[in-house]
DNA sequence: CAAGATTGATTACTCAATCTTC
DNA sequence: GAAGATTGAGTAATCAATCTTG
C-alpha cells in the first residue's frame, strides 16, 4: 500500500533530499571561493587535525570512507597542486605518510572558514538548538549501532 | 580554533557519516536480494507512484536529481533488462514517456519490501518516534528553505 | 603468505555539443 | 531560436591484479 510505504520512509526520504541539496551547495561554494573540490577539503581537514599533522595512507582512506586506490589518485592530484606531500615511513618501508605542505596548511585554514560558514548558512541556521541536539544524539546512535553490526 | 570548529559542524558531521554508512548497507542489500542497484529502484519507485504510471524523461530526471544524460544512460540499461520501456509522446514528438513493463512492476513490488525492511532495520529501528518526528519536520524545513534560495 | 600502496580496467556520473521538433 | 533527448569527452570512484616489504 502506497500510504504505508510513504509513512515508513518519510524520514529517510527527507534525509536523502537534505543530503543531496546541501552537498551541492557546499561543493559549489568551496569551488567558487577557493577553487578546490570539497573532497580535497576533507583530506586537508583530516590531516590538519591528525596527531603530528600526518596520517598513513590506509588510515586516511579509512577516515575518509574511500578505497585505497581512490585515495592514491586523489592525493596524486593534491600533490601536483602542492597541497600535500608523501613522506616515507621510517619504521615500515611499505608505507607512506600523507602530510600537509605550507601551502596546504594555509589553504585549509581558509577552507574551514568557507565550510563552516556554509554549514551554518545552509544547515544550522534552519534548525533550533534543540533540533540540532536531538539529531546529533540520534545519528551518533545510528552510526554506532550500524558500524558494529555486520548485517 | 579546533574546538569551536568541531562544535559548529558536529551535527553535520554525524549526518554525513550516517548517510555514508546506511547507503552502503541499503545498496548492498538491494544488490544481494534482487540483483539490482539502488539507483534502479529509485527509477522504478518514481514510475510506480507517478500518475498513469509514466513520466517524461525530463520530469523523471528532475525527481531523481539526475542530469538528462545520466537518466538516458540509466534507462538504456533498464530497458535492456526489460524493466521499463520508452513510449513515444503522442502530443509532443520531441519527447518520450518512461513506463514500467510487467517485469518492472513485478520487480518494484518486491524491491519496496526489501527497501522498507532495510530502512526500518538500519535507520528507523534506532530512533524514537519523537526523534523521527523532529527529524522529518526539521529537514523538510531545510529543504524548503534551501530549494527556494539560489545562494 | 599477508599488508600497504599503486596501476589497469570498468562504471556511473557531469558538461558541452548535436539532432529533432516546437 | 528554445526545449527534449541523446551522444561524446572527460572525471572520479570501484574492484581485481600487481609490486614491494614485513
Amino acid at each position: 500500500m502506497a500510504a504505508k510505504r510513504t509513512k515508513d520512509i518519510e524520514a529517510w526520504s527527507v534525509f536523502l533530499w537534505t543530503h543531496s541539496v546541501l552537498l551541492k551547495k557546499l561543493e559549489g561554494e568551496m569551488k567558487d571561493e577557493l577553487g578546490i573540490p570539497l573532497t580535497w577539503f576533507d583530506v586537508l581537514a583530516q590531516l590538519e587535525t591528525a596527531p603530528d599533522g600526518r596520517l598513513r595512507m590506509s588510515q586516511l582512506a579509512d577516515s575518509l570512507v574511500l578505497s585505497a586506490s581512490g585515495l592514491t589518485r586523489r592525493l596524486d592530484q593534491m600533490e601536483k597542486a602542492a597541497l600535500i606531500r608523501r613522506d616515507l615511513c621510517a619504521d615500515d618501508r611499505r608505507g607512506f605518510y600523507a602530510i600537509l605542505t605550507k601551502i596546504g596548511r594555509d589553504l585549509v585554514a581558509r577552507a574551514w572558514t568557507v565550510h563552516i560558514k556554509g554549514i551554518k548558512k545552509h544547515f544550522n541556521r534552519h534548525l533550533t538548538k534543540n533540533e540540532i541536539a536531538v539529531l546529533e544524539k540520534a545519528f551518533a546512535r545510528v552510526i554506532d549501532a550500524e558500524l558494529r553490526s555486520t548485517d
Side-chain angles (χ1 to χ4, degrees), chain A:
Chain A
M1 190 201 299
K4 180 72 161 53
R5 283 174 187 168
T6 303
K7 183 180 177 312
D8 287 333
I9 63 161
E10 217 158 82
W12 177 248
S13 180
V14 292
F15 177 91
L16 284 185
W17 267 92
T18 302
H19 182 268
S20 171
V21 172
L22 264 55
L23 223 63
K24 279 190 170 62
K25 299 231 178 187
L26 295 172
E27 278 166 357
E29 288 174 354
M30 190 60 74
K31 180 62 98 181
D32 289 346
E33 300 189 29
L34 291 178
I36 60 169
L38 197 55
T39 53
W40 288 22
F41 167 72
D42 293 336
V43 172
L44 297 174
Q46 286 294 331
L47 290 179
E48 189 201 27
T49 59
D52 302 320
R54 60 181 200 178
L55 283 172
R56 291 287 295 264
M57 296 294 284
S58 51
Q59 295 177 300
L60 184 50
D62 285 349
S63 65
L64 294 168
V65 196
L66 183 67
S67 65
S69 55
L71 179 63
T72 292
R73 273 136 185 162
R74 196 184 289 179
L75 288 201
D76 286 347
Q77 297 180 268
M78 295 180 70
E79 197 164 24
K80 267 184 219 161
L83 299 177
I84 63 105
R85 65 170 194 276
R86 288 168 164 96
D87 276 4
L88 279 162
C89 202
D91 54 330
D92 181 353
R93 281 183 302 175
R94 292 173 302 180
F96 294 93
Y97 286 106
I99 184 164
L100 292 178
T101 62
K102 174 75 167 67
I103 297 175
R105 275 196 308 280
D106 291 347
L107 185 61
V108 71
R110 291 193 289 150
W112 268 114
T113 306
V114 171
H115 193 55
I116 290 181
K117 183 184 66 179
I119 290 169
K120 284 181 177 171
K121 176 176 183 180
H122 301 298
F123 190 64
N124 296 17
R125 181 164 71 89
H126 304 300
L127 306 172
T128 66
K129 285 243 192 297
N130 179 59
E131 283 170 339
I132 291 179
V134 169
L135 294 182
E136 216 172 287
K137 187 161 160 260
F139 288 153
R141 192 187 320 127
V142 172
I143 295 167
D144 186 61
E146 289 296 318
L147 284 184
R148 283 176 210 300
S149 83
T150 51
D151 64 339

